[in-house]
């Protein structure tokens, strides 16, 4: 009970210290409000206002229909250019897509032949290139089928695929990005706040005060973990409720309470990691340089931005030992698909196990730091 009392009182001291730091408080406020809002509204993975041009060498009814089918908000009004203008225009980046309809296309189509349409794509913007190509292919195929059917020719396919998009029926990237931004910010702030708490003790000289008190290193470390974890979990939950649901109007079908519980387990792991990193640094600039590559790897390779299946096999296997990988899987299952604890307990167990290892390593390093003073 004495140890629990020490952990509680030290944690309260951490909360007071954090509240008096306007920079960190401003960072927390910005990260879970404005940053979530701007990323959700500013980053688009679906096609919006793509610049498209047409090289219409056929000048036929079907080419006019294809041009008229490329409509906003997916595409800007298409411009008809000559074949000589195409390469210079794409070199300048004027158009993301240039569709070339060859001469005699409609004649060959009505004759039962299989004429080709060339689609030139600026693949430097990979996401736009991939999604836009699929959009244009579907639009052209639909117009061709309608044109052939109106001409009295058979165009019924032997089978039809009916797609059903679950959990995000309109395929809006905002729904995905807003929630992933919240979970990603949890990782970043957990490392920063916990590490900053240790560095702050050293820079202010209060580490010496702790050394002469009847405290054990485990009590000091656990106090920093629960205090900083409480702040981040509270900020993340408020961000989901007020910013994601309220301001952005994005439905979150899953249980926020289950998410908060899982986030608490995850914070145990990541704040331990932040404390361990802080024991290798003497100043905040050093800690920042050390922490940046760590949470960039955790965030980018957790499976939220890039599918784990698309990674090389050694990297895919190695990321299974990252708590961020399992927490991302947990967060997506709970917040997107409404999964309960009966479906996500394995991810939580993995996070807790990895967190126990991180905590043991952080305690070892923290003890050495305190003994050195």
């Amino acid at each position: 009970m004495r140890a629990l009392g020490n952990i509680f009182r030290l944690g309260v001291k951490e909360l007071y210290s954090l509240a008096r730091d306007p920079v960190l408080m401003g960072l927390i406020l910005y990260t879970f409000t404005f940053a979530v809002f701007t990323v959700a509204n500013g980053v688009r993975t679906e096609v919006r206002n793509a610049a498209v041009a047409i090289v219409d060498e056929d000048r036929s009814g079907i080419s006019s229909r294809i041009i008229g089918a490329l409509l906003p908000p997916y595409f800007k009004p298409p411009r008809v250019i000559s074949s000589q203008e195409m390469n210079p225009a794409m070199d300048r980046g004027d158009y993301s897509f240039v569709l070339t309809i060859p001469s005699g296309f409609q004649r060959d189509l009505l004759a039962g032949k299989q004429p080709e349409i060339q689609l030139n794509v600026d693949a430097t913007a990979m996401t736009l290139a991939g999604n836009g190509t699929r959009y244009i292919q579907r639009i052209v195929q639909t117009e061709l089928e309608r044109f052939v059917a109106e001409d009295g020719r058979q165009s019924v396919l032997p089978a039809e695929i009916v797609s059903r998009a679950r959990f995000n029926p309109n395929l809006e990237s905002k729904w995905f990005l807003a929630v992933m931004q919240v979970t990603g910010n949890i990782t970043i702030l957990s490392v920063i706040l916990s590490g900053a708490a240790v560095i702050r003790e050293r820079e202010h000289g209060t580490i010496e005060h702790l050394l002469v008190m009847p405290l054990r290193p485990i009590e000091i470390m656990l106090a920093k973990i629960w205090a900083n974890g409480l702040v981040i979990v509270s900020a993340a939950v408020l961000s989901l409720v007020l910013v994601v649901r309220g301001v952005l109007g994005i439905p979150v079908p899953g249980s926020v309470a289950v998410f908060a519980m899982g986030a608490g387990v995850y914070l145990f792991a990541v704040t331990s990691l932040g404390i361990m990193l802080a024991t290798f640094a003497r100043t905040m600039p050093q800690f920042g340089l050390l922490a940046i590559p760590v949470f960039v790897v955790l965030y980018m390779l957790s499976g939220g931005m890039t599918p784990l299946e698309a990674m090389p096999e050694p990297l895919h296997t190695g990321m299974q030992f990252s708590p961020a990988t399992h927490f991302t899987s947990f967060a997506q299952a709970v917040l997107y698909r409404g999964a309960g604890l009966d479906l996500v307990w394995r991810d939580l167990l993995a996070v807790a196990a990895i967190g126990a290892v991180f905590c043991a390593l952080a305690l070892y390093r923290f003890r050495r730091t305190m003994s050195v003073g």
Side-chain angles (χ1 to χ4, degrees):
M1 294 301 296
R2 179 182 175 182
L4 291 177
N6 290 339
I7 293 172
F8 174 76
R9 284 187 288 272
L10 286 172
V12 173
K13 187 267 294 181
E14 288 293 329
L15 294 176
Y16 277 118
S17 179
L18 179 61
R20 294 191 186 98
D21 193 327
V23 174
L24 288 180
M25 291 300 296
L27 177 64
I28 295 171
L29 180 63
Y30 166 83
T31 301
F32 285 107
T33 55
F34 187 74
V36 174
F37 179 84
T38 52
V39 169
N41 284 293
V43 178
R44 294 282 185 175
T45 58
E46 66 267 26
V47 179
R48 281 291 186 276
N49 295 320
V52 59
I54 309 292
V55 177
D56 187 6
E57 298 178 344
D58 193 38
R59 305 286 180 175
S60 61
I62 184 60
S63 63
S64 298
R65 292 181 60 156
I66 292 174
I67 295 173
L70 299 172
L71 299 172
Y74 306 112
F75 302 98
K76 294 179 180 178
R79 291 190 58 187
V80 178
I81 62 176
S82 66
S83 58
Q84 291 78 18
E85 297 177 276
M86 181 181 69
N87 287 333
M90 294 200 73
D91 290 342
R92 292 192 302 268
D94 294 342
Y95 305 106
S96 300
F97 306 94
V98 177
L99 194 66
T100 300
I101 304 176
S103 177
F105 177 78
Q106 179 172 303
R107 181 188 66 244
D108 293 341
L109 184 67
L110 295 177
K113 300 179 182 179
Q114 294 183 336
E116 295 182 349
I117 295 178
Q118 183 185 71
L119 178 61
N120 299 275
V121 182
D122 181 358
T124 54
M126 293 183 295
T127 302
L128 176 63
N131 292 339
T133 298
R134 289 191 292 270
Y135 275 48
I136 294 176
Q137 287 174 337
R138 186 165 63 248
I139 290 171
V140 171
Q141 185 65 32
T142 300
E143 293 302 320
L144 292 179
E145 290 176 357
R146 290 176 179 173
F147 179 78
V148 173
E150 290 173 2
D151 194 63
R153 288 170 171 77
Q154 180 70 23
S155 63
V156 179
L157 299 177
E160 182 181 1
I161 298 177
V162 178
S163 301
R164 178 190 176 195
R166 300 183 62 186
F167 315 119
N168 188 357
N170 295 323
L171 302 178
E172 294 187 26
S173 59
K174 182 170 72 172
W175 288 27
F176 171 80
L177 291 171
V179 175
M180 282 297 95
Q181 186 69 13
V182 173
T183 58
N185 290 343
I186 289 175
T187 300
I188 295 173
L189 281 184
S190 298
V191 174
I192 291 177
L193 292 187
S194 58
V198 176
I199 299 295
R200 188 166 53 237
E201 299 278 11
R202 184 179 295 118
E203 290 184 337
H204 293 175
T206 53
I207 191 73
E208 288 80 6
H209 298 167
L210 296 176
L211 287 172
V212 298
M213 297 177 67
L215 299 171
R216 294 181 296 171
I218 184 65
E219 296 172 357
I220 300 173
M221 197 180 79
L222 290 178
K224 296 182 184 301
I225 290 175
W226 84 254
N228 290 285
L230 176 64
V231 172
I232 296 172
V233 169
S234 301
V237 170
L238 289 174
S239 180
L240 282 175
V241 174
L242 299 179
V243 179
V244 177
R245 278 182 175 173
V247 177
L248 294 173
I250 299 172
V252 180
S255 170
V256 176
V258 174
F259 171 76
M261 184 191 69
V265 178
Y266 177 62
L267 284 164
F268 166 69
V270 185
T271 51
S272 297
L273 175 61
I275 291 173
M276 182 175 65
L277 293 176
T279 61
F280 290 97
R282 304 296 299 178
T283 63
M284 278 299 295
Q286 290 180 356
F287 171 71
L289 292 175
L290 184 62
I292 287 173
V294 173
F295 59 65
V296 165
V297 170
L298 290 178
Y299 179 66
M300 296 299 294
L301 301 182
S302 64
M305 303 300 295
T306 303
L308 291 173
E309 294 78 10
M311 299 179 187
E313 187 61 31
L315 186 58
H316 178 277
T317 303
M319 289 308 297
Q320 299 304 313
F321 297 95
S322 166
T325 301
H326 300 283
F327 178 67
T328 299
S329 175
F330 162 84
Q332 290 179 344
V334 171
L335 296 179
Y336 291 143
R337 300 186 285 273
L341 283 175
D342 57 323
L343 299 177
V344 297
W345 65 270
R346 290 181 180 84
D347 286 319
L348 284 183
L349 185 61
V351 172
I354 298 171
V357 175
F358 282 173
C359 185
L361 294 175
L363 181 59
Y364 169 74
R365 286 290 311 170
F366 192 66
R367 280 174 174 165
R368 291 194 60 184
T369 301
M370 290 191 68
S371 63
V372 173

